[in-house]
Amino acid sequence: MSKKKRKQRQAAPAAPKKQRIEFVARPFAGLANEEDLVAMMQIIPAATATVRLAKEYGGQDVQLVTLLPELTQGLKRADGEVLVALQTTMHSGDASRDVAAAVLATLELEEGSGLLMNGLPEPGERLQDILDPAVEPVVSVRETFDFWLGAEEAKAPEAVEQLEHAKEEIAPTAAVPGVPHAYWCRINGKEFVRWVRGEDEDVFFNAFARVHAARASDLEEGARFIGAFRACGLAIPVWELNRGTEAEELTAPLKAMGERLDAALADTTPLDAEARRAKAGITSRQVNL
């Protein structure tokens, strides 16, 4: 290589280095219905929730959904409906930034197009920046992925076949009546309930340790606490239920558990030795999602 060419090569500007996003332990904090957004991202197989963009971002309604075909991040259906998935393979360390980036990119798509982003987003707008805070997302648990398709698309035989095939992967799931953010499910012939709590995870685990130490952590006879998830900065305790238990039967026992937890949360004294042992046992069985 000549000196001139070598100098030209050395003088070429380097590609700008992408900015990394700071990790956010509780990415949906400050959003209305934070707990259910976490539930949609982590424990509900099929659900939708309508959110509204702030006026400066167009003011239109967008559907946040659990999952889209082939792990697509966004979809603008042929009828113009905008869907953005919470369950994807894109994880920058700030789930709120990831979803907001997908929302803004999906808005720009042509109708009938899907979004598959290359690489992670850089720092920018988060859901807290682009959503109308006056509109609370209400989760609708679904039995199928029929929300993937508009009315005309759903008439196609191949589309019906695709939905039927996808339905086989959905574990039966239902919201517990009267208990916000609690979800019953049936997996491999067994029933469970998972309750997304709104307290900071460490605050919750301290309180639940008091309940567990008092031998009051089971929902009812035979419905035992088996562990907890940590997800997006929140705790999700899990109980295995008596065989055949349905979601409607859990309202009373979960409300009673809520009263025990409220009493434990109000206790600000240091954990005693028994509660510390209980907490150690609980955290040893937790799973990070």
Side-chain angles (χ1 to χ4, degrees), residues 103-145:
V103 168
L104 296 176
T106 304
L107 291 171
E108 301 299 321
L109 294 178
E110 295 182 2
E111 292 180 356
S113 301
L115 174 72
L116 192 59
M117 297 177 70
N118 293 320
L120 298 174
E122 295 190 69
E125 297 97 328
R126 307 175 73 239
L127 288 178
Q128 289 85 341
D129 302 315
I130 70 172
L131 296 186
D132 182 344
V135 178
E136 179 175 339
V138 177
V139 173
S140 174
V141 178
R142 312 290 282 263
E143 294 182 355
T144 74
F145 292 112

Side-chain angles (χ1 to χ4, degrees), residues 13 77 92 128 133 136 162 172 197 207 228 250 285:
R77 292 192 324 214
S92 70
Q128 289 85 341
E136 179 175 339
Q162 181 190 29
R197 299 292 304 183
L250 295 170
R285 288 184 283 167

Side-chain angles (χ1 to χ4, degrees), residues 205-219 225 256-257 259-261 263-265 267 271-279 282 285:
F205 282 116
N206 280 338
F208 197 75
R210 298 182 194 274
V211 174
H212 196 62
R215 291 172 172 74
S217 60
D218 290 345
L219 284 183
F225 169 73
M257 174 60 70
E259 292 175 359
R260 298 197 289 277
L261 279 168
L265 287 163
D267 186 347
L271 297 180
D272 60 23
E274 191 166 356
R276 290 197 300 273
R277 285 194 294 271
K279 184 179 180 181
I282 293 167
R285 288 184 283 167

